[in-house]
Amino acid sequence: MKKMVGLINLDHEYHVFNELTYFRNSASLPFGGRYRMIDFTLSNMVNSNINEVAIFARNKYRSLLDHLGTGENWDLDRRNGGLFILPPDWNDPSDKSQGDLRFFHNNRDYFHRSQSEYVLISGSQFISNSDYKDAFTYHLEQEADVTLITTNVKELYPEHYPYFRVEADQNGRVTEITNDQHNSELFTGVYIINKNLLMRLVDECIAYDKDNFFICGVKNKLDDLKIQRYEHSGYSAFINSIESFFRQNMNLLDAKHYHDLFFGNHLIRTKVSSNPPVKYRKNSDVEHSLLANGCVVDGRVEGSILFRGVAVHTGATVKNSIIMQRCTIEEGVHLENVILDKDVHVSKGQKIIGSKEKPYVVAKRQVI
Amino acid sequence: MKECIGMLLAGGEGKRLGELTHHLAKPAVPFGGKYRIIDFTLSNCTNSGISTLGVLTQYSPLELNKHIGNGKPWDMDKQSGVTVLSPYTAKTGGDWYSGTADAIYQNMHFINQFDPEYVLVISGDHIYQMDYQKMLEQHKKTNADATISVIEVPWDDASRFGILNVSDNLRIYEFEEKPKNPQSNLASMGIYIFKWSKLKAYLLEDAHNKASRHDFGKDIIPAMLDDTQRLFAYRFDGYWKDVGTIRSYWEANMDLLDENLSLKSNHKEWRIYTHDSNLPPQYVSQTATVSNSLINSGCLIHGNIENSILFRNVHVEQASTVRQSIIHPGVRIGENCKLNRVIVMENTVIPKGTAIEVDEFQEPFVINQEILGGMLTPAGGESK
């Protein structure tokens, strides 16, 4: 059976989540009440029979390392293969490579040693519940050099702006990769490429002093390579700003989206914790919300997402908000359109109201 | 050499739990919305630094063995972590465990490997949080041959327990199993620490005694008392509950909803560990109301939940009411159902419009698909 390795390239991801990414990269941004953004990519990979995954991590990866550990929560703690976290620690004086090409250049061993002939490359800001086995079969059937996973977005939002658009002929062969803002066929950043070709293209890019593998090695080679398109249908989200982060979290309060993302092809895995079930006290009044284990609720929660271990005391109201792990909302507090990062303590009687379009963000570990 | 190793008796058939233990050993019965009964004892071991543990299984062990696995959730996936000990045959014969003492006797070679000074004997069917290390400290301080953990029970209930009569310094001079006129209200919790050398001698002797029932409470402890060995009681004053009957199982679950309960599954220093299910946060819809309940991940709530415990992945549809009930994993409750004082077993599908209500003070009703099928089959064409 043909095999793929996974590569999560975080090198050129935007960290434009203000307070939320001051001390973490966007791959470890909490999402969906219990997960980190990277959980979706990792789960999709391991559930597509990929059991060898490397991560190019350039900066602010302390919390990412803490989250991933040995990879055991994704069944990546293996004797053969498993999880490889590749930070930028290289020391080759003759090295002339730039951008993410330096990662490829300095981690050749990872690709050489792998038994797999194919590589699935992804970022962490495209959220979906995908099984890439079908895309891989398609890649093999088409005898493609590269297969780009695309998705057709119904409604275009500002977060879609930076993503490439794909045009293909009736055989699925990609003819153009553009910035055409009117094209709703978006490249998800996920693609399958033959490993030997990948290494050859890396060398070529470096020889020509380039600094971005995808643009130079794939996008600019449309005529030389057989590049196919494979369309992902079903739930998906692109998250690269506070606004998209807020909107897409809230989007999960729609039962259909909740179901598609969390009970789709497979369950999404994350770092486990030992939190007890949610405790609803006598005065709790909860509706239209997602609650993770370990929460204790005695107040009102409406249209909100509560991560693990959040306490909402009597008489407090949490409305249209995202409350991350272990926050405490004391008595009489009113929160509306707010994002609280982890470990925030909101004292008695405080009132914080953001706007629907621009939620008010409170950084980690603040006492208000 | 290990100072103290634990032996956990988990073979109980749990007859009085009826349908709940039909295919399941009692320690594996789901408890508290996320756990199994044995998780409390296993977590006690982890939290009190008992890192070598033999778990003795016998009755319907599949689920239980699967649950314990390599011991990872309890941090016992180490070289001398948890070992599941089931009955076996050897050249010299072999047999089912005929009693609690016999179970330990048949696994003496397991204990001998670690050459421990002390052995902690516990069982997997009680709900409590206890630091065994404190008990061990007292055991060492009193230079006891055996220490038995006791809890004060109401005097009226004392005749239902094994009662220990002790002198002022807690030395045990008498043990009475279910006494008619109890002299004390100190009930044995079935938790023992023995000097291993001493216990070994008594086990060997007991094994050759044909009249013995090979039971700690009935044989070993009385024999040690007859020989005036140093037996001491260790007082425990936290929450402790034997979940031996449907009623006590239901009560112990409901106790978790009491805000003043001393037992806390989210104590940071005393977590209860178990497997994680990878299920998403629970979804509470616009039509739902929830109060005084425990609900686990993966649940979808459209109905009304009151004073109840819902395990993972339970769906409750609109206009349904679940009150004072315990709903095991994967249960589906259709629209317009009414459940009151019911225990619903794993993966049962309750069709819409079903009403099962049990009166206050009556024994909670256990249902599974089979029982439900029997109930819904029209007796005399009653259903429409």
Side-chain angles (χ1 to χ4, degrees), chain A residues 34 253 258 275 280 284 288 293, chain B residues 34 281-284 293 296:
Chain A
R34 150 177 225 267
L253 296 178
Y258 169 82
N275 280 296
Y280 293 83
S284 70
H288 199 218
N293 276 354
Chain B
K34 177 171 178 176
Q282 58 199 260
Y283 185 90
V284 181
S293 295
N296 198 3

Side-chain angles (χ1 to χ4, degrees), chain B residues 275-301:
Chain B
H275 288 274
D276 193 272
S277 57
N278 270 326
L279 284 161
Q282 58 199 260
Y283 185 90
V284 181
S285 85
Q286 283 102 321
T287 56
T289 61
V290 186
S291 87
N292 202 38
S293 295
L294 277 177
I295 300 183
N296 198 3
S297 46
C299 285
L300 261 111
I301 315 293

Side-chain angles (χ1 to χ4, degrees), chain A residues 303-360:
Chain A
S304 295
I305 295 180
L306 270 52
F307 282 70
R308 294 188 271 208
V310 171
V312 181
H313 290 266
T314 324
T317 300
V318 178
K319 198 177 162 187
N320 204 33
S321 295
I322 299 169
I323 313 295
M324 293 189 200
Q325 227 171 310
R326 289 190 306 270
C327 286
T328 306
I329 320 288
E330 286 206 35
E331 282 173 36
V333 167
H334 184 97
L335 303 180
E336 202 171 327
N337 302 322
V338 169
I339 300 174
L340 301 187
D341 202 335
K342 285 166 71 174
D343 297 303
V344 170
H345 189 115
V346 188
S347 330
K348 254 186 191 171
Q350 291 287 351
K351 198 175 218 181
I352 309 173
I353 302 181
S355 82
K356 263 204 162 114
E357 291 69 33
K358 279 233 172 292
Y360 188 86

Side-chain angles (χ1 to χ4, degrees), chain A residues 2 25 74 76 78 81 180 183 205 263 317 366:
Chain A
K2 305 278 188 192
N25 57 29
W74 299 267
L76 287 171
R78 295 175 162 267
D180 176 8
N183 182 353
C205 290
F263 291 96
T317 300
Q366 303 289 308

Side-chain angles (χ1 to χ4, degrees), chain A residues 32-35 72 252-255 258 262-263 267-270 272-282 284 286-293 296, chain B residues 32-35 72 256 258-259 265-266 271-273 276-286 288 290-300 313:
Chain A
R34 150 177 225 267
Y35 308 93
E72 68 153 310
L252 295 174
L253 296 178
D254 179 326
Y258 169 82
F262 295 129
F263 291 96
L267 293 177
I268 307 298
R269 309 171 191 210
T270 187
V272 304
S273 73
S274 305
N275 280 296
V278 177
K279 189 163 211 167
Y280 293 83
R281 293 233 159 116
K282 294 210 168 68
S284 70
V286 180
E287 65 171 80
H288 199 218
S289 295
L290 291 188
L291 294 91
N293 276 354
V296 181
Chain B
K34 177 171 178 176
Y35 311 97
K72 175 82 196 172
L256 293 175
D258 180 356
E259 289 175 27
S265 49
N266 60 353
R271 278 272 161 97
I272 305 301
Y273 300 100
D276 193 272
S277 57
N278 270 326
L279 284 161
Q282 58 199 260
Y283 185 90
V284 181
S285 85
Q286 283 102 321
V290 186
S291 87
N292 202 38
S293 295
L294 277 177
I295 300 183
N296 198 3
S297 46
C299 285
L300 261 111
N313 196 20

Side-chain angles (χ1 to χ4, degrees), chain A residues 182-194:
Chain A
H182 303 294
N183 182 353
S184 57
E185 185 81 6
L186 264 66
F187 172 45
T188 62
V190 183
Y191 57 110
I192 297 168
I193 184 167
N194 299 359

Side-chain angles (χ1 to χ4, degrees), chain B residues 178-357:
Chain B
K178 299 183 181 165
K180 281 215 179 76
N181 301 304
Q183 297 165 44
S184 124
N185 65 338
L186 294 179
S188 165
M189 296 163 66
I191 300 166
Y192 311 96
I193 292 178
F194 294 98
K195 256 186 202 154
W196 174 230
S197 52
K198 210 44 125 268
L199 177 62
K200 199 163 28 175
Y202 276 91
L203 286 177
L204 287 167
E205 202 179 296
D206 178 75
H208 297 116
N209 178 358
K210 291 227 169 73
S212 173
R213 286 141 298 179
H214 311 298
D215 185 87
F216 278 104
K218 291 181 192 130
D219 307 290
I220 302 289
I221 299 299
M224 289 180 87
L225 282 171
D226 281 351
D227 298 348
T228 60
Q229 299 287 7
R230 293 176 64 80
L231 271 69
F232 283 82
Y234 171 78
R235 277 173 179 276
F236 176 74
D237 60 2
Y239 179 89
W240 178 81
K241 193 132 190 163
D242 177 356
V243 281
T245 62
I246 301 277
R247 186 179 286 271
S248 65
Y249 170 80
W250 185 82
E251 280 171 4
N253 271 284
M254 291 300 139
D255 282 347
L256 293 175
L257 300 175
D258 180 356
E259 289 175 27
N260 303 316
L261 184 73
S262 60
L263 184 84
K264 291 218 164 50
S265 49
N266 60 353
H267 256 312
K268 286 216 177 65
E269 337 53 270
W270 207 274
R271 278 272 161 97
I272 305 301
Y273 300 100
T274 190
H275 288 274
D276 193 272
S277 57
N278 270 326
L279 284 161
Q282 58 199 260
Y283 185 90
V284 181
S285 85
Q286 283 102 321
T287 56
T289 61
V290 186
S291 87
N292 202 38
S293 295
L294 277 177
I295 300 183
N296 198 3
S297 46
C299 285
L300 261 111
I301 315 293
H302 296 289
N304 314 308
I305 316 292
E306 217 178 289
N307 301 321
S308 293
I309 293 183
L310 272 59
F311 285 73
R312 63 171 196 275
N313 196 20
V314 170
H315 295 193
V316 181
E317 297 302 335
Q318 276 189 39
S320 279
T321 303
V322 178
R323 293 177 62 227
Q324 300 193 78
S325 294
I326 301 166
I327 317 291
H328 287 182
V331 170
R332 299 287 178 267
I333 300 173
E335 288 172 27
N336 284 309
C337 289
K338 272 198 172 61
L339 302 181
N340 195 4
R341 278 175 78 86
V342 186
I343 300 167
V344 186
M345 289 174 66
E346 202 157 339
N347 297 329
T348 304
V349 179
I350 300 179
K352 64 178 177 188
T354 308
I356 304 170
E357 299 188 83

Side-chain angles (χ1 to χ4, degrees), chain A residues 24-25 57-66 85 87-88:
Chain A
R24 58 166 85 92
N25 57 29
R58 167 118 26 212
N59 45 33
K60 296 192 264 192
Y61 50 79
R62 185 209 53 84
S63 103
L64 184 66
L65 294 182
D66 174 49
I85 300 167

